[in-house]
Amino acid sequence: MLILLLGVGLYLQLGLKLIPIRKLGMGFKLMWQGRTPKTAAAKKAEAEGEISPFNALMTALSATIGTGNIAGVATAIALGGPGAVFWMWITALVGMATKFAEAVLAVRYRETDSLGYHIGGPMFYIKNGLGKKWLWLGGAFAFFGAVAAFGIGNTVQSNSVADALDSTFGIPHWLTGITIMVLAGAVILGGIKRIAKVAGKLVPIMGIAYIVAGLAVLVVNADQIGEAFGLIFYYAFNPMAAAGGFAGAAVMAAIRFGVARGIFSNEAGLGSAPIAHAAAQTKNPVRQGLIAMLGTFIDTIVVCTITALVILTSTVWIGGEAGASLTALSFDAALPGFGNQIVSIALAVFAFTTILGWSFYGEKCCQFLFGVRSIMVYRVLFVLAIPLGAIAQLGFIWLMADTFNAMMAIPNLIALALLSPVVFKLTKDYFDGKEVLPGEELDHDQA
């Protein structure tokens, strides 16, 4: 699975001639311009989507920034050593091309449903890009996505929050579950516009607050930052000997856990984010692709790196701890009395927004299979599952979530590989000044 994800990502990055990396600054500029459509052209484009390009990115980020940024990074270091962080970075740089291609195809091949909303994602670019004979593959993605949302985007998240709030503040699991159900239900039942509105405000606030808290720790541990980077680069290519409670890690473990946790965190290749980007108010697929790829950069290169440096500048990580508790102990070592609470609150907010984003993903997968009448039924079932996750023993659900994530990724990666000539052509035309808008034909048969 990891080889397939990295392989397709590397192929797309090279095929795009490293544009996702070279045009990073342009992506941030487009994101800032896309907060609200103001120009005449942008106002005209409003008819082409429901939410601003900025809010589309925030919706995708709301589902992406979650337990992976706190627990996932700590797990990668605990199992693979400091070198795992380097391989998380590599995964992100490759994943930027995957996320770019996903959003390009999502906007290019999106449809308008009977309610007048724009819908898209892997199931639609498989159906409209590859043709009717591949429809079964789109159906397979939609089925796995609808089920996976109950795992990675629901029960796993509510359980993580319940655990964190119970250990830090003594709040019982059932109370956390009911509270999240009520708050999430109020947003989810309002559909994509309400989800995007909440995500557009909550995601920047929570992201910046977590980064500021992480930087505060790094100021306290400033003398250790250089050594932390040294550990990351050295142990990316050299085995890590056992130290303290740390069991040691081979280079292969650093690669394996770095790549695995990187993908779990930024979701590049899963096919989830393009479902949000398909609702963006834009007529140009490449512009949205440039904005979409920032999700991977912000999630892994920025937020995960902050977490990793906080952990590595403390000495807690060699004590045998793992997961969110390792991150909490590392914050607490630098900010005694506050660190643990910062991580618990961050985890709660991150997980809450993940639930919002994934509810939309699952809903659109269900709609593809059963039509618009199934939307409200799916929303209600999704909301009702939240407290069940908070009180459940989640060993089996984690396993199911990982399995269905992999099952989602396979149809999506096949489609990305087969439709890559379309992505390359649209991107080349855009940067050559020959924009091809959705509904126009490419000048030669690509798909």
Side-chain angles (χ1 to χ4, degrees):
M1 213 33 251
L2 299 180
I3 290 166
L4 189 61
L5 281 158
L6 274 183
V8 172
L10 190 59
Y11 162 69
L12 290 169
Q13 189 67 273
L14 294 175
L16 289 164
K17 299 174 183 173
L18 306 183
I19 279 175
I21 295 172
R22 292 192 290 117
K23 300 294 182 181
L24 186 63
M26 184 180 182
F28 276 105
K29 185 180 176 184
L30 289 170
M31 178 193 74
W32 188 251
Q33 290 173 349
R35 287 170 297 144
T36 49
K38 291 176 183 171
T39 64
K43 284 178 180 173
K44 190 180 175 185
E46 279 189 48
E48 295 295 315
E50 284 67 55
I51 56 178
S52 70
F54 175 82
N55 277 355
L57 175 63
M58 290 305 114
T59 303
L61 268 177
S62 75
T64 306
I65 296 181
T67 54
N69 299 78
I70 293 175
V73 176
T75 302
I77 292 170
L79 297 176
V85 179
F86 175 85
W87 297 106
M88 286 184 82
W89 293 340
I90 296 299
T91 304
L93 294 176
V94 169
M96 283 171 66
T98 311
K99 201 73 80 92
F100 172 86
E102 288 175 336
V104 168
L105 293 173
V107 174
R108 169 73 189 172
Y109 292 113
R110 66 186 176 180
E111 296 180 0
T112 306
D113 67 14
S114 59
L115 300 175
Y117 290 110
H118 285 76
I119 50 174
M123 54 281 197
F124 289 98
Y125 52 73
I126 289 170
K127 173 189 165 188
N128 300 326
L130 296 177
K132 293 287 170 65
K133 66 182 179 181
W134 290 91
L135 190 59
W136 63 272
L137 193 68
F141 173 87
F143 172 74
F144 295 130
V147 177
F150 280 93
I152 187 177
N154 187 322
T155 49
V156 163
Q157 302 296 332
S158 61
N159 192 266
S160 297
V161 178
D163 273 345
L165 296 184
D166 184 28
S167 61
T168 306
F169 303 108
I171 300 171
H173 281 230
W174 65 268
L175 182 58
T176 299
I178 291 172
T179 305
I180 297 173
M181 179 183 76
V182 172
L183 293 173
V187 181
I188 290 168
L189 298 176
I192 181 59
K193 288 188 179 179
R194 196 179 296 171
I195 291 170
K197 198 171 181 180
V198 172
K201 290 179 170 58
L202 205 52
V203 172
I205 292 169
M206 72 171 190
I208 291 167
Y210 183 75
I211 289 167
V212 168
L215 291 175
V217 172
L218 295 181
V219 168
V220 174
N221 298 338
D223 57 328
Q224 301 293 320
I225 294 175
E227 188 180 339
F229 275 109
L231 290 171
I232 291 169
F233 287 108
Y234 181 81
Y235 289 114
F237 305 100
N238 295 280
M240 173 82 190
F246 183 76
V251 174
M252 199 61 223
I255 297 172
R256 179 189 163 195
F257 291 109
V259 172
R261 293 302 94 190
I263 289 166
F264 176 80
S265 179
N266 62 49
E267 295 176 14
L270 287 190
S272 50
I275 299 173
H277 289 288
Q281 293 164 349
T282 183
K283 284 188 174 180
N284 190 275
V286 176
R287 285 172 70 91
Q288 196 60 34
L290 290 167
I291 293 171
M293 71 186 190
L294 300 179
T296 302
F297 181 85
I298 293 167
D299 175 272
T300 307
I301 303 294
V302 179
V303 182
C304 284
T305 300
I306 293 284
T307 304
L309 290 175
V310 166
I311 292 168
L312 292 174
T313 54
S314 75
T315 55
V316 180
W317 67 274
I318 58 172
E321 286 286 344
S325 59
L326 171 55
T327 308
L329 286 169
S330 300
F331 268 88
D332 216 47
L335 304 171
F338 300 104
N340 201 21
Q341 294 176 13
I342 289 168
V343 172
S344 294
I345 293 167
L347 193 63
V349 180
F350 285 1
F352 176 73
T353 56
T354 299
I355 290 170
L356 300 185
W358 269 93
S359 72
F360 179 67
Y361 297 161
E363 165 192 315
K364 291 299 142 193
C365 288
C366 187
Q367 181 183 341
F368 181 82
L369 294 170
F370 304 110
V372 292
R373 290 183 180 179
S374 66
I375 291 175
M376 192 53 72
V377 176
Y378 188 90
R379 287 178 188 170
V380 171
L381 290 173
F382 193 88
V383 171
L384 291 175
I386 293 169
L388 297 178
I391 60 174
Q393 294 298 315
L394 282 200
F396 172 73
I397 293 178
W398 266 106
L399 187 62
M400 187 188 79
D402 279 348
T403 304
F404 277 100
N405 280 355
M407 300 303 280
M408 276 176 73
I410 291 168
N412 182 49
L413 292 169
I414 292 170
L416 288 176
L418 293 175
L419 290 169
S420 58
V422 178
V423 178
F424 300 155
K425 172 68 176 165
L426 289 170
T427 306
K428 184 176 185 300
D429 285 348
Y430 179 79
F431 287 104
D432 287 349
K434 300 181 288 183
E435 295 187 19
V436 182
L437 300 177
E440 297 176 8
E441 293 304 315
L442 297 175
D443 56 17
H444 58 85
D445 186 18
Q446 297 280 0

